[in-house]
Amino acid sequence: MRIALLHGFLGSPEVWNDIAPAPARAVPLPGHGGGPVRATWDANLDAVADEIGACDLVVGYSLGARVALGLVATKRVPRGVLVSVNPGIPDDERAARRASDAAWAAKLRTEGLAAFLAAWEAQPLFATQARVPQALRDARKARRASLDPEQLARSLEVMGLAEMPDYRRYVDARCTLVVGADDAKYVALANALPARVEIIAACGHDPTLEQPRALAAILAAATGT
């Protein structure tokens, strides 16, 4: 089985170390080592599709899960495992989301990456990561510190929810949704969709950091490895 793995915003292929089923290939997203961010959501989706090539299953976390869903929705990959995915927002929410993403992008450009990371990681969405050993959090932060602030800003502006098509109608039996039990918003999103849902106990938004063994078991079951 040919498997591709996509990390989230601020991530890198290394987040899948010790999680990915074999064989699997983790690739960097545009703006995160996978070339520059292209001009549109569709152009970035095309770039990722070209990078992974022929694929039987795509696994993604957060931003990577949204890209993975795009690949399934456009029938370039037959199945997806979507970890902490937001499948899309209605048009009347796009302006507010676009303004929020623009504010984060401006923070990157005016205050720099270190200040941005401190503010980003302090969001309530990531509060459960305080339970993760400090050494693991420090390693994750060190990898983030090597990223290009301008490319991250472009990722927010071009690959954010405001620019992504609403893919909710494409979430079906082709998809497995994985969420942390303590991530109430995303549990609700997943349970509202007609797909298989796997809930990881004692976990928040990022199972790749908070519960990698549990996530690895789910992926092994999904791939038969």
Side-chain angles (χ1 to χ4, degrees), residues 20-66:
R25 179 174 173 235
V27 301
L29 292 176
H32 296 73
V37 176
R38 281 66 169 180
T40 66
W41 169 269
D42 287 341
N44 286 290
L45 195 66
D46 291 343
V48 175
D50 290 344
E51 177 65 26
I52 67 174
C55 185
D56 301 302
L57 176 72
V58 60
V59 180
Y61 159 68
S62 196
L63 169 59
R66 294 193 285 110

Side-chain angles (χ1 to χ4, degrees), residues 23-225:
R25 179 174 173 235
V27 301
L29 292 176
H32 296 73
V37 176
R38 281 66 169 180
T40 66
W41 169 269
D42 287 341
N44 286 290
L45 195 66
D46 291 343
V48 175
D50 290 344
E51 177 65 26
I52 67 174
C55 185
D56 301 302
L57 176 72
V58 60
V59 180
Y61 159 68
S62 196
L63 169 59
R66 294 193 285 110
V67 173
L69 178 53
L71 295 172
V72 173
T74 55
K75 299 183 178 179
R76 285 182 268 198
V77 181
R79 292 198 298 131
V81 177
L82 313 176
V83 183
S84 301
V85 70
N86 188 326
I89 57 176
D91 288 345
D92 62 2
E93 295 180 13
R94 291 185 185 278
R97 180 61 189 231
R98 190 171 288 118
S100 174
D101 288 341
W104 282 111
K107 190 173 188 72
L108 271 164
R109 292 184 173 117
T110 60
E111 299 181 31
L113 184 56
F116 174 86
L117 289 176
W120 185 268
E121 293 168 359
Q123 293 180 91
L125 181 66
F126 305 120
T128 55
Q129 293 179 14
R131 300 181 298 209
V132 176
Q134 187 67 48
L136 295 179
R137 286 185 280 147
D138 288 346
R140 177 73 59 94
K141 194 162 189 173
R143 289 197 296 271
R144 289 175 165 179
S146 68
L147 295 171
D148 181 340
E150 176 59 26
Q151 286 300 308
L152 294 176
R154 292 290 296 146
S155 179
L156 287 164
E157 292 169 335
V158 180
M159 300 183 73
L161 270 172
E163 311 309 325
M164 185 186 87
D166 185 351
Y167 289 133
R168 285 176 291 179
R169 67 186 182 279
Y170 297 104
V171 180
D172 52 29
R174 297 173 293 172
C175 303
T176 297
L177 308 181
V178 182
V179 289
D182 298 332
D183 189 4
K185 175 182 176 180
Y186 282 77
V187 170
L189 283 173
N191 284 333
L193 297 165
R196 179 188 177 104
V197 178
E198 297 279 0
I199 298 178
I200 298 178
C203 185
H205 188 68
D206 188 354
T208 71
L209 178 65
E210 299 177 57
Q211 292 291 349
R213 290 184 181 179
L215 179 57
I218 290 171
L219 297 184
T223 59
T225 59

